[in-house]
Amino acid sequence: MLVAAAAGDVEALHWLLDEVAPTVYGFIYARVGGDEPAAEDVLQETLMEAVKGAANFRGEASASTWMCAIARRRLGRYYESERRAEVARRSLSVVEGTRISDEVGGAAEMVERQDEVVRALGRLPALQRQVLVMKYLEDMPVQDIAIQVNRSRVQVQSLLQRGRDGLRRQLGGQGA
């Protein structure tokens, strides 16, 4: 179906955009700290790369899994460019407070809490956010993260600690 979408088949394109893209968008959205424009940009780049490389899709995994692997590479590029931009704007960083719901339980409160965590994650420095995502969402070992971000293991552990502390502060001291 992916090859058909790449060839311009309308039904296959609808499948790609209506069935696969939302899953990939959710994967990306959580990893860019709830930044919708960034998530949309990375999704668009991912879709373009997937369409260009559709002939390489062997079908050993689902299309969404394959595209999430593409998105992971695109996210690496996004993080790198964001880190460079952050160096330029470091002195202009403003942190806003977040409101934490006192109510616990229920689906609405759970979704609200997840959104607050995603927004708080988005307010962290790019490198801290990247290592937190790699550690806790990607379940990567610290040594692998260190290699990926070109830092020592000790530096990554420090970044993880500062990131966790930053999340706690953003979330009003409640567990992060």
Side-chain angles (χ1 to χ4, degrees):
M1 196 86 159
L2 195 56
V3 173
D9 179 276
V10 175
E11 187 176 318
L13 284 169
H14 282 290
W15 164 81
L16 180 64
L17 296 174
D18 296 339
E19 301 295 324
V20 179
T23 301
V24 178
Y25 178 82
F27 174 85
I28 295 166
Y29 182 83
R31 286 156 177 80
V32 295
D35 183 345
E36 288 182 27
E40 291 167 0
D41 288 346
V42 174
L43 176 63
Q44 182 177 0
E45 292 170 5
T46 300
L47 287 168
M48 289 188 318
E49 188 173 330
V51 167
K52 285 180 188 174
N56 297 327
F57 178 61
R58 296 186 306 260
E60 295 172 358
S62 69
S64 60
T65 300
W66 182 69
M67 288 180 60
C68 283
I70 294 170
R72 185 174 284 120
R73 290 190 302 275
R74 287 289 173 181
L75 284 163
R77 293 178 194 139
Y78 164 78
Y79 286 133
E80 183 58 36
S81 67
E82 190 175 80
R83 269 199 306 270
R84 279 190 234 114
E86 186 174 323
V87 168
R89 68 175 185 261
R90 189 165 288 182
S91 64
L92 302 176
S93 178
V94 177
V95 177
E96 298 175 16
T98 59
R99 184 184 63 75
I100 302 297
S101 174
D102 293 329
E103 298 177 23
V104 177
E109 288 84 8
M110 184 181 217
V111 168
E112 182 179 333
R113 177 69 175 166
Q114 289 172 339
D115 285 348
E116 289 175 19
V117 170
V118 167
R119 285 191 302 273
L121 190 62
R123 287 190 294 270
L124 292 178
L127 190 54
Q128 288 178 19
R129 178 173 56 246
Q130 182 179 9
V131 297
L132 286 171
V133 165
M134 293 169 101
K135 176 69 178 164
Y136 297 108
L137 291 178
E138 304 291 333
D139 201 27
M140 289 177 68
V142 171
Q143 186 59 42
D144 292 352
I145 296 169
I147 292 167
Q148 190 97 9
V149 298
N150 198 27
R151 299 285 196 277
S152 72
R153 181 180 168 91
V154 171
Q155 288 172 317
V156 169
Q157 289 171 329
S158 177
L159 286 164
L160 285 167
Q161 184 60 49
R162 288 194 313 250
R164 288 188 298 263
D165 291 345
L167 273 177
R168 282 188 197 97
R169 281 191 304 277
Q170 292 291 324
L171 296 170
Q174 297 186 10

